[in-house]
Coordinates of all heavy atoms in Angstrom, one line a residue:
M753 N 0.1 10.5 -1.8 CA 0.1 9.1 -1.9 C -0.5 8.4 -0.7 O -1.3 7.5 -0.9 CB 1.6 8.6 -2.1 CG 1.8 7.1 -2.1 SD 3.5 6.7 -2.2 CE 3.5 5.0 -1.8
L754 N -0.1 8.8 0.5 CA -0.7 8.3 1.7 C -2.2 8.5 1.8 O -2.9 7.5 2.1 CB 0.0 8.9 2.9 CG 1.5 8.5 3.1 CD1 2.1 9.3 4.3 CD2 1.7 7.1 3.2
E755 N -2.6 9.6 1.4 CA -4.0 9.9 1.5 C -4.8 9.1 0.5 O -5.9 8.6 0.8 CB -4.3 11.4 1.3 CG -5.7 11.8 1.4 CD -6.0 13.3 1.2 OE1 -5.0 14.1 1.4 OE2 -7.1 13.7 1.0
A756 N -4.3 9.0 -0.7 CA -4.9 8.2 -1.8 C -5.1 6.7 -1.3 O -6.1 6.1 -1.5 CB -4.1 8.3 -3.1
I757 N -4.0 6.2 -0.7 CA -4.0 4.8 -0.3 C -5.1 4.6 0.9 O -5.9 3.7 0.9 CB -2.6 4.3 0.1 CG1 -1.8 4.2 -1.1 CG2 -2.7 3.0 0.9 CD1 -0.3 3.9 -0.8
Q758 N -5.0 5.5 1.8 CA -5.9 5.5 3.0 C -7.4 5.6 2.5 O -8.2 4.7 2.9 CB -5.7 6.7 3.9 CG -6.6 6.8 5.1 CD -6.3 5.7 6.2 OE1 -5.2 5.3 6.4 NE2 -7.4 5.2 6.8
L759 N -7.7 6.5 1.6 CA -9.1 6.6 1.1 C -9.5 5.4 0.3 O -10.6 4.9 0.5 CB -9.2 7.9 0.2 CG -9.1 9.2 1.0 CD1 -9.1 10.4 0.0 CD2 -10.2 9.4 2.0
Q760 N -8.6 4.8 -0.5 CA -9.0 3.6 -1.3 C -9.2 2.5 -0.3 O -10.1 1.7 -0.5 CB -7.9 3.3 -2.3 CG -8.2 2.1 -3.2 CD -9.3 2.4 -4.1 OE1 -9.6 3.5 -4.5 NE2 -10.0 1.4 -4.5
W761 N -8.4 2.3 0.7 CA -8.5 1.2 1.6 C -9.8 1.3 2.4 O -10.6 0.3 2.5 CB -7.3 1.3 2.6 CG -7.3 0.2 3.7 CD1 -7.4 -1.1 3.5 CD2 -7.1 0.4 5.1 NE1 -7.3 -1.8 4.7 CE2 -7.0 -0.9 5.7 CE3 -6.8 1.5 5.9 CZ2 -6.8 -1.1 7.0 CZ3 -6.6 1.3 7.2 CH2 -6.6 0.1 7.8
E762 N -10.2 2.5 2.8 CA -11.5 2.7 3.5 C -12.6 2.4 2.6 O -13.6 1.7 3.0 CB -11.6 4.1 4.1 CG -10.6 4.3 5.2 CD -10.5 5.8 5.7 OE1 -11.2 6.6 5.1 OE2 -9.8 6.0 6.6
R763 N -12.5 2.8 1.3 CA -13.6 2.6 0.3 C -13.7 1.1 0.0 O -14.9 0.5 0.0 CB -13.2 3.3 -1.0 CG -14.3 3.4 -2.0 CD -13.9 4.3 -3.2 NE -13.7 5.6 -2.7 CZ -12.5 6.3 -3.0 NH1 -11.6 5.7 -3.7 NH2 -12.4 7.5 -2.6
I764 N -12.6 0.3 -0.1 CA -12.7 -1.1 -0.3 C -13.4 -1.8 0.9 O -14.2 -2.7 0.7 CB -11.3 -1.7 -0.5 CG1 -10.7 -1.2 -1.9 CG2 -11.2 -3.2 -0.4 CD1 -9.2 -1.4 -2.1
L765 N -13.0 -1.4 2.1 CA -13.6 -2.1 3.2 C -15.1 -1.8 3.3 O -15.9 -2.7 3.6 CB -12.9 -1.6 4.5 CG -11.5 -2.1 4.7 CD1 -10.9 -1.4 5.9 CD2 -11.4 -3.6 4.8
I766 N -15.5 -0.6 3.0 CA -17.0 -0.2 3.0 C -17.7 -1.0 2.0 O -18.7 -1.6 2.2 CB -17.2 1.3 2.9 CG1 -16.7 2.0 4.1 CG2 -18.6 1.6 2.6 CD1 -16.6 3.5 4.0
D767 N -17.1 -1.0 0.7 CA -17.8 -1.7 -0.4 C -17.9 -3.2 -0.2 O -18.9 -3.8 -0.6 CB -17.1 -1.4 -1.7 CG -17.2 0.0 -2.2 OD1 -18.1 0.8 -1.6 OD2 -16.5 0.4 -3.1
S768 N -16.9 -3.8 0.5 CA -16.9 -5.2 0.7 C -17.7 -5.7 1.8 O -18.1 -6.8 2.0 CB -15.4 -5.8 0.9 OG -14.9 -5.3 2.1
Q769 N -18.1 -4.7 2.7 CA -18.9 -4.9 3.9 C -18.4 -6.1 4.8 O -19.1 -6.9 5.3 CB -20.4 -5.3 3.5 CG -21.0 -4.1 2.7 CD -22.5 -4.4 2.3 OE1 -23.0 -5.5 2.6 NE2 -23.1 -3.4 1.8
T770 N -17.0 -6.1 4.9 CA -16.4 -7.1 5.7 C -15.6 -6.3 6.8 O -15.2 -5.2 6.6 CB -15.5 -8.0 5.0 OG1 -14.4 -7.2 4.4 CG2 -16.2 -8.8 3.9
E771 N -15.4 -7.0 7.9 CA -14.6 -6.4 9.0 C -13.5 -7.5 9.3 O -13.8 -8.5 10.0 CB -15.4 -6.1 10.2 CG -16.3 -4.9 10.0 CD -16.9 -4.4 11.3 OE1 -16.2 -4.5 12.4 OE2 -18.0 -3.9 11.3
P772 N -12.3 -7.3 8.9 CA -11.2 -8.2 9.3 C -11.1 -8.2 10.8 O -11.5 -7.3 11.5 CB -10.0 -7.5 8.6 CG -10.5 -6.8 7.4 CD -11.8 -6.2 7.9
P773 N -10.5 -9.2 11.3 CA -10.4 -9.4 12.8 C -9.8 -8.2 13.5 O -8.7 -7.6 13.0 CB -9.5 -10.6 12.9 CG -9.6 -11.4 11.7 CD -9.8 -10.3 10.6
S774 N -10.4 -7.7 14.5 CA -9.9 -6.6 15.3 C -8.5 -7.0 15.9 O -8.3 -8.1 16.4 CB -10.9 -6.3 16.4 OG -10.4 -5.2 17.2
G775 N -7.6 -6.0 15.9 CA -6.3 -6.2 16.4 C -5.3 -6.8 15.4 O -4.2 -7.0 15.7
S776 N -5.8 -7.1 14.2 CA -4.9 -7.7 13.2 C -4.3 -6.6 12.4 O -4.7 -5.5 12.4 CB -5.7 -8.7 12.3 OG -6.7 -8.0 11.5
Y777 N -3.3 -7.0 11.6 CA -2.6 -6.1 10.7 C -2.1 -6.7 9.5 O -2.0 -8.0 9.4 CB -1.4 -5.4 11.5 CG -0.3 -6.3 11.8 CD1 0.7 -6.5 10.9 CD2 -0.2 -7.0 13.0 CE1 1.8 -7.4 11.2 CE2 0.8 -7.8 13.4 CZ 1.8 -8.0 12.5 OH 2.8 -8.9 12.8
V778 N -1.7 -5.9 8.5 CA -1.1 -6.4 7.2 C 0.0 -5.4 7.0 O -0.1 -4.2 7.0 CB -2.1 -6.4 6.1 CG1 -1.5 -6.8 4.8 CG2 -3.3 -7.2 6.4
T779 N 1.2 -6.0 6.7 CA 2.4 -5.2 6.4 C 2.7 -5.6 4.9 O 2.9 -6.7 4.6 CB 3.6 -5.5 7.3 OG1 3.2 -5.3 8.6 CG2 4.8 -4.7 6.9
V780 N 2.8 -4.5 4.1 CA 3.2 -4.7 2.7 C 4.5 -4.0 2.4 O 4.6 -2.8 2.6 CB 2.0 -4.2 1.7 CG1 2.4 -4.4 0.3 CG2 0.7 -4.8 2.1
K781 N 5.4 -4.8 1.8 CA 6.7 -4.2 1.4 C 6.7 -4.3 -0.1 O 6.5 -5.3 -0.7 CB 7.9 -5.0 2.0 CG 9.2 -4.4 1.7 CD 10.4 -5.3 2.2 CE 10.4 -5.4 3.7 NZ 11.5 -6.1 4.3
F782 N 7.0 -3.2 -0.7 CA 7.0 -3.1 -2.2 C 8.1 -2.1 -2.7 O 8.6 -1.3 -1.9 CB 5.6 -2.7 -2.7 CG 5.1 -1.4 -2.2 CD1 5.3 -0.2 -3.0 CD2 4.5 -1.3 -1.0 CE1 4.8 1.0 -2.5 CE2 4.0 0.0 -0.5 CZ 4.2 1.1 -1.3
T783 N 8.3 -2.2 -4.0 CA 9.2 -1.2 -4.6 C 8.4 -0.3 -5.5 O 7.5 -0.7 -6.2 CB 10.4 -1.8 -5.4 OG1 9.8 -2.7 -6.4 CG2 11.3 -2.6 -4.5
M784 N 8.9 1.0 -5.6 CA 8.3 2.0 -6.5 C 9.4 2.6 -7.3 O 10.5 2.9 -6.7 CB 7.6 3.1 -5.6 CG 6.9 4.1 -6.5 SD 6.3 5.5 -5.5 CE 5.2 4.7 -4.4
D785 N 9.1 2.8 -8.6 CA 10.1 3.4 -9.4 C 9.9 4.9 -9.5 O 9.0 5.5 -8.9 CB 10.2 2.8 -10.8 CG 9.0 3.0 -11.7 OD1 8.2 4.0 -11.4 OD2 8.8 2.3 -12.7
S786 N 10.8 5.6 -10.1 CA 10.8 7.1 -10.2 C 9.7 7.6 -11.0 O 9.4 8.8 -11.1 CB 12.1 7.6 -10.7 OG 12.4 7.1 -12.1
H787 N 8.9 6.7 -11.7 CA 7.7 7.1 -12.4 C 6.4 7.0 -11.5 O 5.3 7.2 -12.0 CB 7.5 6.3 -13.7 CG 8.7 6.5 -14.6 ND1 8.9 7.6 -15.3 CD2 9.7 5.7 -14.9 CE1 10.0 7.5 -16.1 NE2 10.5 6.3 -15.8
G788 N 6.7 6.6 -10.2 CA 5.6 6.4 -9.3 C 4.8 5.1 -9.5 O 3.7 4.9 -8.9
R789 N 5.4 4.1 -10.2 CA 4.8 2.8 -10.5 C 5.2 1.8 -9.4 O 6.4 1.8 -9.0 CB 5.1 2.3 -11.8 CG 4.6 3.2 -13.0 CD 5.1 2.6 -14.3 NE 6.5 2.6 -14.4 CZ 7.2 2.9 -15.5 NH1 6.6 3.3 -16.6 NH2 8.5 2.8 -15.5
I790 N 4.3 1.0 -9.0 CA 4.7 -0.1 -8.1 C 5.3 -1.2 -9.0 O 4.6 -1.7 -10.0 CB 3.4 -0.7 -7.4 CG1 2.6 0.3 -6.7 CG2 3.8 -1.9 -6.5 CD1 3.4 1.0 -5.6
T791 N 6.5 -1.5 -8.8 CA 7.2 -2.5 -9.7 C 7.2 -3.9 -9.1 O 7.3 -4.8 -9.9 CB 8.7 -2.0 -9.9 OG1 9.3 -1.8 -8.7 CG2 8.7 -0.7 -10.7
E792 N 7.1 -4.0 -7.8 CA 7.1 -5.4 -7.3 C 6.6 -5.4 -5.8 O 6.9 -4.5 -5.0 CB 8.6 -5.9 -7.3 CG 8.7 -7.4 -6.8 CD 10.1 -7.9 -6.9 OE1 11.0 -7.1 -7.2 OE2 10.3 -9.1 -6.6
I793 N 5.8 -6.3 -5.5 CA 5.4 -6.6 -4.1 C 6.4 -7.6 -3.6 O 6.5 -8.7 -4.1 CB 4.0 -7.2 -4.0 CG1 2.9 -6.3 -4.7 CG2 3.6 -7.5 -2.6 CD1 2.7 -4.9 -4.0
L794 N 7.2 -7.1 -2.6 CA 8.3 -7.9 -2.1 C 7.9 -8.9 -1.0 O 8.4 -10.0 -0.9 CB 9.4 -7.0 -1.6 CG 10.0 -6.0 -2.6 CD1 10.9 -5.0 -1.9 CD2 10.8 -6.8 -3.6
D795 N 7.0 -8.5 -0.1 CA 6.6 -9.3 1.0 C 5.3 -8.8 1.6 O 5.0 -7.6 1.5 CB 7.7 -9.2 2.1 CG 7.5 -10.2 3.2 OD1 7.1 -11.4 2.9 OD2 7.6 -9.8 4.4
V796 N 4.5 -9.7 2.1 CA 3.3 -9.4 2.8 C 3.2 -10.2 4.1 O 3.3 -11.4 4.0 CB 2.0 -9.7 1.9 CG1 0.7 -9.4 2.7 CG2 2.0 -9.0 0.6
E797 N 3.2 -9.5 5.2 CA 3.0 -10.1 6.5 C 1.6 -9.9 6.9 O 1.1 -8.7 6.9 CB 4.0 -9.5 7.5 CG 3.9 -10.1 8.9 CD 4.9 -9.5 9.8 OE1 5.9 -8.9 9.4 OE2 4.6 -9.6 11.0
N798 N 0.9 -11.0 7.3 CA -0.6 -10.9 7.5 C -1.0 -11.6 8.7 O -0.8 -12.8 8.8 CB -1.3 -11.4 6.2 CG -2.8 -11.4 6.3 OD1 -3.3 -10.5 7.0 ND2 -3.4 -12.3 5.7
T799 N -1.6 -10.9 9.7 CA -2.3 -11.5 10.8 C -3.8 -11.4 10.7 O -4.5 -11.8 11.6 CB -1.8 -11.0 12.1 OG1 -2.2 -9.6 12.3 CG2 -0.3 -11.0 12.3
S800 N -4.2 -10.8 9.6 CA -5.6 -10.6 9.3 C -6.2 -11.8 8.5 O -5.6 -12.8 8.3 CB -5.8 -9.3 8.6 OG -7.1 -8.9 8.4
S801 N -7.4 -11.5 8.0 CA -8.1 -12.5 7.1 C -7.5 -12.3 5.7 O -6.8 -11.3 5.4 CB -9.6 -12.3 7.1 OG -9.9 -11.0 6.6
E802 N -7.9 -13.2 4.8 CA -7.5 -13.1 3.4 C -8.1 -11.8 2.8 O -7.4 -11.1 2.0 CB -7.9 -14.3 2.6 CG -7.4 -14.3 1.2 CD -5.9 -14.3 1.0 OE1 -5.2 -14.8 1.9 OE2 -5.5 -13.8 -0.1
Q803 N -9.3 -11.5 3.1 CA -10.0 -10.3 2.7 C -9.3 -9.1 3.2 O -9.1 -8.1 2.5 CB -11.5 -10.3 3.1 CG -12.2 -9.0 2.7 CD -12.3 -8.9 1.2 OE1 -12.4 -9.9 0.5 NE2 -12.3 -7.7 0.7
G804 N -8.8 -9.1 4.4 CA -8.1 -8.0 5.0 C -6.8 -7.8 4.2 O -6.4 -6.6 4.0
K805 N -6.1 -8.9 3.9 CA -4.8 -8.8 3.2 C -5.1 -8.2 1.8 O -4.4 -7.3 1.3 CB -4.2 -10.2 3.1 CG -3.0 -10.3 2.2 CD -2.6 -11.7 2.1 CE -1.7 -12.0 0.8 NZ -1.4 -13.4 0.7
Q806 N -6.1 -8.8 1.1 CA -6.3 -8.3 -0.3 C -6.8 -6.8 -0.3 O -6.5 -6.1 -1.3 CB -7.4 -9.2 -1.0 CG -6.9 -10.6 -1.2 CD -5.6 -10.6 -2.1 OE1 -5.4 -9.9 -3.0 NE2 -4.7 -11.5 -1.7
S807 N -7.5 -6.4 0.7 CA -7.9 -5.0 0.7 C -6.7 -4.1 0.8 O -6.7 -3.0 0.1 CB -8.8 -4.8 2.0 OG -10.0 -5.5 1.9
C808 N -5.7 -4.4 1.5 CA -4.5 -3.6 1.6 C -3.7 -3.6 0.3 O -3.3 -2.6 -0.1 CB -3.6 -4.1 2.8 SG -4.4 -4.1 4.4
L809 N -3.5 -4.8 -0.2 CA -2.8 -4.9 -1.5 C -3.5 -4.1 -2.6 O -2.9 -3.3 -3.3 CB -2.7 -6.3 -2.0 CG -1.7 -7.2 -1.2 CD1 -1.8 -8.6 -1.5 CD2 -0.3 -6.7 -1.4
S810 N -4.8 -4.2 -2.6 CA -5.6 -3.4 -3.6 C -5.5 -1.9 -3.4 O -5.4 -1.1 -4.4 CB -7.1 -3.9 -3.6 OG -7.2 -5.2 -4.0
A811 N -5.5 -1.5 -2.2 CA -5.4 -0.1 -1.9 C -4.1 0.5 -2.4 O -4.1 1.7 -2.9 CB -5.6 0.2 -0.4
I812 N -3.1 -0.2 -2.3 CA -1.8 0.2 -2.8 C -1.7 0.2 -4.3 O -1.3 1.2 -5.0 CB -0.6 -0.6 -2.2 CG1 -0.5 -0.3 -0.7 CG2 0.7 -0.3 -2.9 CD1 0.4 -1.2 0.1
T813 N -2.1 -0.9 -4.9 CA -1.9 -1.1 -6.4 C -2.9 -0.3 -7.2 O -2.6 0.2 -8.3 CB -1.9 -2.6 -6.7 OG1 -3.2 -3.2 -6.3 CG2 -0.8 -3.3 -6.1
L814 N -4.2 -0.2 -6.7 CA -5.2 0.5 -7.5 C -5.0 2.0 -7.6 O -5.5 2.6 -8.5 CB -6.6 0.1 -7.0 CG -7.1 -1.3 -7.1 CD1 -8.4 -1.5 -6.4 CD2 -7.2 -1.7 -8.6
T815 N -4.3 2.6 -6.7 CA -4.1 4.0 -6.7 C -2.8 4.4 -7.4 O -2.6 5.6 -7.6 CB -4.2 4.6 -5.3 OG1 -3.2 3.9 -4.5 CG2 -5.5 4.5 -4.6
A816 N -2.0 3.5 -7.8 CA -0.8 3.7 -8.6 C -1.1 4.0 -10.0 O -2.2 3.5 -10.5 CB 0.2 2.6 -8.4
P817 N -0.3 4.7 -10.8 CA 0.9 5.3 -10.4 C 0.7 6.6 -9.6 O -0.3 7.2 -9.6 CB 1.6 5.6 -11.7 CG 0.5 5.9 -12.6 CD -0.6 5.0 -12.2
Y818 N 1.8 7.0 -8.8 CA 1.7 8.1 -7.9 C 2.3 9.3 -8.4 O 2.4 10.3 -7.6 CB 2.3 7.6 -6.5 CG 1.5 6.5 -5.9 CD1 2.0 5.2 -5.9 CD2 0.2 6.8 -5.3 CE1 1.2 4.2 -5.4 CE2 -0.5 5.8 -4.8 CZ 0.0 4.5 -4.8 OH -0.8 3.5 -4.3
G819 N 2.8 9.4 -9.6 CA 3.4 10.6 -10.1 C 4.9 10.5 -10.2 O 5.6 9.8 -9.5
E820 N 5.4 11.3 -11.1 CA 6.9 11.3 -11.4 C 7.6 12.0 -10.2 O 7.1 12.9 -9.6 CB 7.1 12.2 -12.7 CG 6.5 11.6 -13.9 CD 7.3 10.5 -14.5 OE1 8.6 10.4 -14.3 OE2 6.7 9.6 -15.2
W821 N 8.8 11.4 -9.9 CA 9.6 12.0 -8.9 C 10.4 13.2 -9.6 O 10.7 13.2 -10.7 CB 10.6 11.0 -8.4 CG 10.1 9.8 -7.7 CD1 8.7 9.6 -7.4 CD2 10.8 8.7 -7.2 NE1 8.6 8.4 -6.7 CE2 9.8 7.9 -6.6 CE3 12.1 8.4 -7.1 CZ2 10.2 6.7 -5.9 CZ3 12.5 7.2 -6.5 CH2 11.5 6.4 -5.9
T822 N 10.7 14.2 -8.7 CA 11.5 15.3 -9.2 C 13.0 14.8 -9.3 O 13.4 13.8 -8.8 CB 11.4 16.4 -8.2 OG1 12.0 16.0 -6.9 CG2 10.0 16.9 -7.9
D823 N 13.8 15.7 -10.0 CA 15.2 15.4 -10.1 C 15.9 15.3 -8.7 O 16.7 14.5 -8.5 CB 15.9 16.4 -11.0 CG 15.5 16.3 -12.4 OD1 15.0 15.2 -12.8 OD2 15.7 17.3 -13.2
D824 N 15.4 16.2 -7.8 CA 16.0 16.2 -6.4 C 15.6 14.8 -5.7 O 16.5 14.3 -5.0 CB 15.5 17.3 -5.6 CG 16.0 18.7 -6.1 OD1 17.1 18.7 -6.7 OD2 15.5 19.7 -5.7
M825 N 14.4 14.4 -5.9 CA 14.1 13.1 -5.3 C 14.9 11.9 -5.9 O 15.4 11.1 -5.1 CB 12.6 12.8 -5.5 CG 11.6 13.7 -4.7 SD 9.9 13.5 -5.2 CE 9.6 11.9 -4.5
I826 N 15.1 11.9 -7.2 CA 15.9 10.9 -7.8 C 17.3 11.0 -7.3 O 18.0 9.9 -7.0 CB 15.8 11.0 -9.3 CG1 14.4 10.7 -9.8 CG2 16.8 10.0 -10.0 CD1 14.1 10.9 -11.2
A827 N 17.9 12.2 -7.1 CA 19.2 12.3 -6.6 C 19.4 11.7 -5.2 O 20.4 11.1 -4.9 CB 19.6 13.8 -6.6
V828 N 18.3 11.8 -4.4 CA 18.4 11.3 -3.0 C 18.0 9.8 -3.0 O 18.6 9.0 -2.3 CB 17.5 12.1 -2.1 CG1 17.4 11.4 -0.7 CG2 18.0 13.5 -2.0
L829 N 16.9 9.4 -3.7 CA 16.4 8.1 -3.6 C 16.8 7.1 -4.6 O 16.6 5.9 -4.5 CB 14.8 8.2 -3.7 CG 14.1 9.1 -2.6 CD1 12.7 9.2 -3.0 CD2 14.4 8.5 -1.2
G830 N 17.4 7.6 -5.7 CA 17.8 6.7 -6.8 C 16.6 6.5 -7.7 O 15.6 7.3 -7.7
N831 N 16.6 5.5 -8.6 CA 15.6 5.3 -9.5 C 14.4 4.4 -9.0 O 13.4 4.3 -9.7 CB 16.1 4.7 -10.8 CG 16.9 5.7 -11.6 OD1 16.5 6.8 -11.7 ND2 18.0 5.3 -12.1
S832 N 14.6 3.9 -7.8 CA 13.5 3.1 -7.2 C 13.8 3.2 -5.7 O 14.9 3.4 -5.2 CB 13.5 1.7 -7.7 OG 14.6 1.0 -7.3
Q833 N 12.7 2.8 -5.0 CA 12.8 2.9 -3.5 C 11.9 1.8 -3.0 O 10.8 1.5 -3.5 CB 12.3 4.2 -3.0 CG 12.5 4.5 -1.5 CD 13.9 4.6 -1.1 OE1 14.8 5.0 -1.9 NE2 14.2 4.1 0.1
E834 N 12.4 1.1 -1.9 CA 11.6 0.1 -1.2 C 10.8 0.8 -0.1 O 11.3 1.6 0.7 CB 12.5 -0.9 -0.6 CG 11.8 -2.1 0.1 CD 12.8 -3.1 0.6 OE1 13.5 -3.7 -0.2 OE2 12.9 -3.2 1.8
L835 N 9.5 0.5 0.0 CA 8.6 1.1 0.9 C 7.9 0.0 1.7 O 7.7 -1.1 1.2 CB 7.5 2.0 0.2 CG 8.1 3.1 -0.6 CD1 7.1 3.6 -1.6 CD2 8.4 4.3 0.3
T836 N 7.5 0.3 2.9 CA 6.8 -0.6 3.8 C 5.6 0.1 4.4 O 5.8 1.1 5.0 CB 7.7 -1.2 4.9 OG1 8.8 -1.9 4.3 CG2 6.9 -2.2 5.7
F837 N 4.4 -0.4 4.2 CA 3.2 0.1 4.8 C 2.6 -0.9 5.7 O 2.6 -2.1 5.3 CB 2.2 0.4 3.7 CG 2.4 1.7 3.0 CD1 3.7 2.2 2.6 CD2 1.3 2.5 2.6 CE1 3.9 3.4 2.0 CE2 1.5 3.7 1.9 CZ 2.8 4.1 1.6
R838 N 2.1 -0.5 6.8 CA 1.4 -1.4 7.8 C 0.0 -0.8 8.0 O -0.2 0.3 8.3 CB 2.1 -1.5 9.1 CG 1.4 -2.5 10.0 CD 2.2 -2.8 11.3 NE 3.1 -3.9 10.9 CZ 3.8 -4.6 11.8 NH1 3.7 -4.3 13.1 NH2 4.6 -5.6 11.4
F839 N -1.0 -1.7 7.8 CA -2.4 -1.4 7.9 C -2.9 -2.1 9.2 O -2.6 -3.3 9.4 CB -3.2 -1.9 6.7 CG -2.8 -1.3 5.4 CD1 -1.7 -1.8 4.7 CD2 -3.6 -0.3 4.8 CE1 -1.4 -1.3 3.5 CE2 -3.3 0.2 3.6 CZ -2.2 -0.3 2.9
Y840 N -3.5 -1.3 10.1 CA -4.1 -1.9 11.3 C -5.6 -2.0 11.3 O -6.2 -1.0 10.9 CB -3.7 -1.0 12.5 CG -2.2 -1.0 12.8 CD1 -1.4 0.0 12.3 CD2 -1.6 -2.0 13.6 CE1 0.0 0.0 12.6 CE2 -0.3 -2.0 13.8 CZ 0.5 -1.0 13.3 OH 1.9 -1.0 13.6
Y841 N -6.1 -3.1 11.7 CA -7.6 -3.2 11.8 C -7.9 -3.2 13.3 O -7.4 -3.9 14.1 CB -8.0 -4.6 11.3 CG -7.9 -4.6 9.7 CD1 -6.9 -5.3 9.1 CD2 -8.8 -4.0 8.9 CE1 -6.7 -5.4 7.8 CE2 -8.7 -4.0 7.6 CZ -7.7 -4.7 7.0 OH -7.5 -4.7 5.6
E842 N -8.7 -2.2 13.7 CA -9.1 -2.0 15.1 C -10.4 -2.6 15.4 O -11.3 -2.7 14.7 CB -9.1 -0.5 15.4 CG -7.8 0.2 15.2 CD -7.8 1.6 15.4 OE1 -8.9 2.2 15.6 OE2 -6.7 2.2 15.5

């Protein structure tokens, strides 16, 4: 999941030929269900540009779903989990 998001984010930035402000970041809080689907974007904290923000959101949503959770994962995590990713622009 992390690798897929990272690669997609880099691809989006290359394709868009934009560079969000150096030193900025985007934090995305979302929920994922046990089917690996993004069920809700809960919050986005953004010190970057609008393009920088949208690149991060797209990197997360375009690579979903991320695969079914195992029974052991469901036993520990429940049927959904809240996740927070922070993207840094250097």
Side-chain angles (χ1 to χ4, degrees):
M753 174 183 168
L754 294 175
E755 184 176 341
I757 292 171
Q758 177 74 35
L759 290 173
Q760 184 67 27
W761 182 48
E762 291 171 0
R763 192 173 300 125
I764 289 168
L765 293 175
I766 289 168
D767 290 348
S768 69
Q769 298 181 357
T770 61
E771 287 191 33
S774 181
S776 65
Y777 67 88
V778 178
T779 303
V780 181
K781 186 184 295 187
F782 59 95
T783 56
M784 180 188 303
D785 69 15
S786 61
H787 300 287
R789 298 180 297 224
I790 305 301
T791 55
E792 184 177 5
I793 302 294
L794 300 169
D795 187 43
V796 179
E797 182 182 336
N798 180 32
T799 67
S800 186
S801 62
E802 184 63 25
Q803 178 66 32
K805 172 185 160 185
Q806 291 304 320
S807 297
C808 299
L809 288 167
S810 294
I812 291 170
T813 58
L814 291 175
T815 52
Y818 296 104
E820 298 281 331
W821 296 358
T822 64
D823 289 339
D824 289 341
M825 289 173 70
I826 293 170
V828 172
L829 302 173
N831 288 319
S832 68
Q833 188 68 31
E834 186 177 294
L835 300 158
T836 303
F837 280 37
R838 180 170 276 190
F839 299 81
Y840 293 96
Y841 292 104
E842 297 179 349

